[in-house]
Amino acid sequence: MNRITSKDGTKIAFDRSGKGAALIPVGGAFQYRAIDERTAQLASLLAQRFTVYNYDRRGRGDSTDTQPYAIEREIEDLNGLINEAGGPAYVFGMSSGAVLALRAVAHGLAIKKLGLYEPPFGNPGVWSPAAESY
């Protein structure tokens, strides 16, 4: 396990595997490395072609947390991982991690390409509790 320190002092835990261009999977709200077998399998498969930075989002798994919560802090965490990787990275966001990845693009992070899987958005004009929290 490796760690980086985010801008606000939060320790972000991650595993690095593989060789090639940097790819960072961004898990959903309840995912973290120790319990998420599917993301671990995905990281293993992707590590055949990429250097994968599989991390625990703040407040999950082996990462610490600093209150109060703000999505901007999570964007800073992702930026720290991109910097650790040495520059632009591919990012694959899943569920709420997809929303976080989209926000990171809007903030100008060095994301080379973006993949999104099941972002929790509802139909346009229809209220959605998931969309409301982002």
Side-chain angles (χ1 to χ4, degrees):
M1 176 183 66
N2 301 287
R3 288 183 189 244
I4 59 163
T5 301
S6 196
K7 188 175 178 181
D8 70 351
T10 301
K11 305 291 186 200
I12 303 299
F14 69 96
D15 293 326
R16 179 177 27 231
S17 60
K19 195 169 188 176
L23 185 143
I24 304 170
V26 184
F30 302 109
Q31 295 173 302
Y32 61 95
R33 295 168 308 127
I35 67 159
D36 189 9
E37 292 178 28
R38 284 189 256 167
T39 302
Q41 289 172 340
L42 177 62
S44 178
L45 290 170
L46 291 169
Q48 296 172 24
R49 299 189 65 200
F50 297 94
T51 302
V52 179
Y53 293 77
N54 192 18
Y55 78 105
D56 292 338
R57 288 173 56 186
R58 62 177 45 226
R60 297 160 180 86
D62 292 316
S63 291
T64 63
D65 200 4
T66 303
Q67 297 297 322
Y69 176 82
I71 195 164
E72 290 78 17
R73 302 300 76 79
E74 289 214 66
I75 292 168
E76 291 169 358
D77 302 343
L78 182 53
N79 193 50
L81 287 162
I82 291 169
N83 290 337
E84 176 72 17
Y90 295 93
V91 174
F92 179 68
M94 299 158 276
S95 190
S96 66
V99 178
L100 173 59
L102 278 171
R103 291 278 183 101
V105 168
H107 278 78
L109 269 62
I111 296 175
K112 190 170 187 171
K113 288 194 178 183
L114 180 64
L116 305 174
Y117 179 73
E118 294 187 341
F121 293 121
N123 294 328
V126 177
W127 179 81
S128 164
E132 183 77 15
S133 66
Y134 298 99

